[in-house]
Amino acid sequence: MTLDEKYMYRCLQLARNGRQNAKPNPMVGAVIVLPLSPEGSGGRILGEGYHVRCGEGHAEVNAFASVRPADEPLLKEATMYVSLEPCSHYGKTPPCADLIIRKGVKRVVVGCVDEFAEVQGRGIQKLRDAGIEVTVGVLEEECKALNRRFFTFHELHRPYIILKWAQTANGFIDDNGHALQISSPFTQMLSHKLRSEEDAILVGRVTDEREHPQLTVRHWIGSDPRRLVIDHQHLVDLESLYHQNVQSLIVEGGRKTLESFLVQDLWDEIRVETNTTLTVTGGTRAPQLPATALVAAACHYGNNTIVSYFRPKSAGTSPHF
């Protein structure tokens, strides 16, 4: 692992602290390091920060604010690491690129370019025009993955879509039309944690009428996602959700609802929970996974296994459901 990678990993650790409150802004972490030798080996952290809450200081601002007054003169020899390209425009806060230039750091290492229309490389160019050495693309895939909801939202003009279901060991999602308790108390808690991190949750009318799901985060801490129910008379327009700033959507409906997304290739992530000890004699079969789905993680919790799948590259349009 290189030193640049080491400090970029620290940026990612910091950035994740903003998962609940930074949205709709991206999660970003920043670290300011003073190299201990001319070759750049070793290093002392002068300051670090992350974007805590939308409308408040960005990661770079908080990192500079944490630098001790006695260390301020050292910034001219320091390197700033930031997981996402510094902004170059005036929004709710001034441009971070301008702040970095004023502070006079020697070098900036950027995890990935910000694809948001107001940035898109302008922050990096502004730093370079000011004579600052800029390195781009350290742990790029990890940095992009952290904010995959943000990037999908701005690139495709629709929410990041997570399809989610629970199934028995022999692949059914119900018991001959009757609801099943497939999740354990612990995996149910994890489902509620996921809900607290996403903007909206959707089920079909049949699931809503048959199971009356609350779709809340009662077993976790955080805000309930926006609740959506669809049928042929009440459609969900992804473009409309985009204009309402809904960046992420969990789909927990029955098979027909889930397949309506799968058929149109509208998904970014799929989470399947399997109770490895529970079987039924018949019922509704779980949806078939797309051939393009890639296993990202498999976690085991007692008798239950949760497998997460991602697509190689997000794609899709914004039709009605």
Side-chain angles (χ1 to χ4, degrees):
M1 180 189 301
T2 67
L3 278 174
D4 283 353
E5 290 172 341
K6 171 185 173 181
Y7 291 116
M8 191 59 69
Y9 272 120
R10 178 56 180 161
C11 289
L12 291 170
Q13 285 181 327
L14 292 164
R16 292 186 184 97
N17 291 320
R19 185 176 297 277
Q20 289 284 357
N21 297 318
K23 59 185 180 182
N25 288 352
M27 294 173 277
V28 186
V31 180
I32 305 169
V33 178
L34 178 68
L36 293 184
S37 74
E39 296 77 25
S41 62
R44 176 163 73 89
I45 293 178
L46 301 179
E48 57 183 25
Y50 67 94
H51 185 38
V52 179
R53 187 173 288 104
C54 180
E56 297 182 4
H58 289 184
E60 300 92 327
V61 174
N62 293 330
F64 281 122
S66 73
V67 176
R68 297 183 306 170
D71 287 338
E72 284 279 345
L74 302 176
L75 291 176
K76 65 180 182 298
E77 298 299 327
T79 296
M80 166 165 269
Y81 294 86
V82 60
S83 56
L84 185 68
E85 175 185 4
C87 62
S88 58
H89 64 289
Y90 281 89
K92 293 183 178 179
T93 59
C96 290
D98 290 356
L99 175 62
I100 295 171
I101 293 168
R102 287 201 308 274
K103 291 292 186 178
V105 299
K106 185 176 183 179
R107 178 174 179 247
V108 175
V109 179
V110 176
C112 66
V113 173
D114 188 346
E115 297 299 333
F116 180 51
E118 296 293 334
V119 187
Q120 289 187 325
R122 295 179 181 88
I124 292 168
Q125 191 59 50
K126 180 177 280 192
L127 296 175
R128 286 175 171 160
D129 289 344
I132 297 174
E133 178 188 348
V134 183
T135 300
V136 182
V138 174
L139 299 185
E140 183 176 26
E141 291 307 311
E142 290 89 338
C143 292
K144 286 182 176 180
L146 177 68
N147 285 304
R148 54 188 179 271
R149 292 159 179 78
F150 177 82
F151 288 130
T152 298
F153 180 78
H154 286 288
E155 290 173 7
L156 302 180
H157 290 190
R158 65 160 175 80
Y160 180 89
I161 299 170
I162 302 171
L163 307 184
K164 180 177 176 294
W165 68 82
Q167 63 186 27
T168 64
N170 57 339
F172 291 92
I173 62 175
D174 62 29
D175 182 7
N176 292 294
H178 300 287
L180 279 171
Q181 183 58 50
I182 296 175
S183 299
S184 68
F186 185 79
T187 59
Q188 186 179 47
M189 180 189 71
L190 294 180
S191 292
H192 290 207
K193 176 179 181 294
L194 175 66
R195 291 175 184 176
S196 74
E197 297 168 352
E198 312 305 337
D199 293 338
I201 187 167
L202 179 150
V203 295
R205 177 186 57 81
V206 174
T207 297
D208 183 56
E209 293 177 352
R210 186 176 66 183
E211 301 180 16
H212 308 293
Q214 296 181 51
L215 306 179
T216 64
V217 297
R218 59 193 180 279
H219 296 308
W220 194 254
I221 297 172
S223 301
D224 294 333
R226 177 177 174 180
R227 191 178 194 276
L228 302 172
V229 179
I230 62 168
D231 59 20
H232 293 299
Q233 285 75 43
H234 301 86
L235 308 176
V236 172
D237 183 350
L238 295 181
E239 185 176 354
S240 175
L241 292 180
Y242 168 78
H243 289 298
Q244 295 172 51
N245 215 25
V246 175
Q247 283 196 6
S248 57
L249 173 68
I250 305 171
V251 180
E252 281 195 3
R255 177 171 176 142
K256 286 186 177 180
T257 299
L258 290 161
E259 285 186 339
S260 69
F261 283 82
L262 289 168
V263 165
Q264 297 185 72
D265 201 28
L266 275 170
W267 64 278
D268 300 289
E269 183 178 340
I270 298 174
R271 298 194 183 193
V272 180
E273 178 178 351
T274 302
N275 187 317
T276 60
T277 61
L278 177 64
T279 60
V280 294
T281 58
T284 304
R285 282 281 181 186
Q288 184 174 354
L289 288 167
T292 56
L294 301 175
V295 175
C299 300
H300 307 280
Y301 308 101
N303 294 327
N304 288 50
T305 298
I306 298 177
V307 181
S308 297
Y309 302 86
F310 292 93
R311 61 188 305 142
K313 184 178 180 180
S314 293
T317 55
S318 302
H320 295 271
F321 286 88

